[in-house]
Amino acid sequence: SGYGAAHLARVDAEATAQAAFRLGNDALALATWRAEAARIEASISFLYRRGLGIARDETIADEHYRTAIALDEAAAAHAMGVMYLARPTGDDDISRARFFCDLAFQKRVVPASLCNERAVTLFYRKQPPLTVHPRPLSASVSSSSRPKELGSDP
């Protein structure tokens, strides 16, 4: 009837917070309102990131995602990681993607493992290959401390 599951969940969250507040359970009311504020910040960020109904602005989207993450919205961390993966213009973006994907993965966001794997793959593709150089014997090593050859006299 025009109301989706997300809307009904928000109505339920608001009703829970209001009831908790009226019953004197301020901690539950605060936790519920914070969780709702985090989801709203993430939603606003999504609108700015996509330019839905407003001008597209990734800087403002970034600010709202960071606010949502500060309010402990794990899905926002995943969205930030995906946003940086979508535009890997340099090492900074790849490092940021890796950070946010890993944060979402730690908070057990379901698709975060794929985001994390992609960020790690991109990160290591940008790294120079390891080169191993054999260490030459130092000239200061005396002949008496060098190992003796087999079959030679002591």
Side-chain angles (χ1 to χ4, degrees):
S1 68
Y3 291 110
H7 173 75
L8 295 176
R10 287 193 173 117
V11 168
D12 188 43
E14 180 61 24
T16 298
Q18 290 287 339
F21 182 75
R22 281 193 301 278
L23 293 171
N25 190 342
D26 297 340
L28 177 60
L30 179 62
T32 305
W33 278 322
R34 276 193 175 182
E36 190 57 26
R39 284 189 290 277
I40 290 168
E41 286 290 334
S43 296
I44 291 169
S45 183
F46 178 79
L47 295 175
Y48 273 105
R49 182 176 158 215
R50 297 285 175 100
L52 300 172
I54 48 179
R56 184 177 178 178
D57 190 328
E58 287 199 5
T59 302
I60 295 174
D62 187 68
E63 291 171 13
H64 284 283
Y65 274 138
R66 288 178 189 277
T67 300
I69 292 166
L71 291 168
D72 209 28
E73 177 63 22
H78 177 254
M80 274 289 271
V82 169
M83 185 170 77
Y84 281 115
L85 281 175
R87 61 163 197 219
T89 57
D91 290 342
D92 283 349
D93 281 348
I94 293 170
S95 293
R96 286 183 184 119
R98 205 172 157 202
F99 172 80
F100 288 112
C101 289
D102 188 50
L103 180 63
F105 181 71
Q106 290 172 18
K107 292 180 178 280
R108 306 206 188 312
V109 175
V110 175
S113 61
L114 295 175
C115 174
N116 199 15
E117 287 173 20
R118 177 78 175 128
V120 168
T121 300
L122 281 174
F123 177 80
Y124 284 111
R125 273 194 200 151
K126 294 277 186 177
Q127 301 306 309
L130 289 176
T131 55
V132 179
H133 299 286
R135 196 174 114 206
L137 282 176
S138 170
S140 65
V141 176
S142 69
S143 61
S144 64
S145 65
R146 289 189 185 153
K148 300 208 186 298
E149 293 181 30
L150 288 176
S152 64
D153 291 333

